[in-house]
Amino acid sequence: MGLVAELLLFLRENKKWWLIPLIVSLLCIGLLSLIAASGAAPFIYTLF
């Protein structure tokens, strides 16, 4: 069983649905930081 499937089972069994926006936002911030460290950084900085 994968990590994502185990996390979803935990959320469903313990009714911790409020954690989903937190996890998604942390993943987005992590993805943005990975992209910012690459060669696409000048294009990202112009968006903000």
Side-chain angles (χ1 to χ4, degrees):
M1 185 181 305
L3 181 65
V4 176
E6 190 171 335
L7 179 64
L8 289 174
L9 284 174
F10 169 76
L11 293 175
R12 187 177 67 182
E13 288 177 7
N14 294 320
K15 300 199 184 343
K16 302 285 186 182
W17 297 113
W18 56 271
L19 284 174
I20 291 175
L22 180 68
I23 293 170
V24 169
S25 64
L26 286 174
L27 288 175
C28 288
I29 290 171
L31 181 65
L32 185 64
S33 67
L34 283 176
I35 292 173
S38 69
F43 303 110
I44 293 172
Y45 293 134
T46 58
L47 295 174
F48 299 105

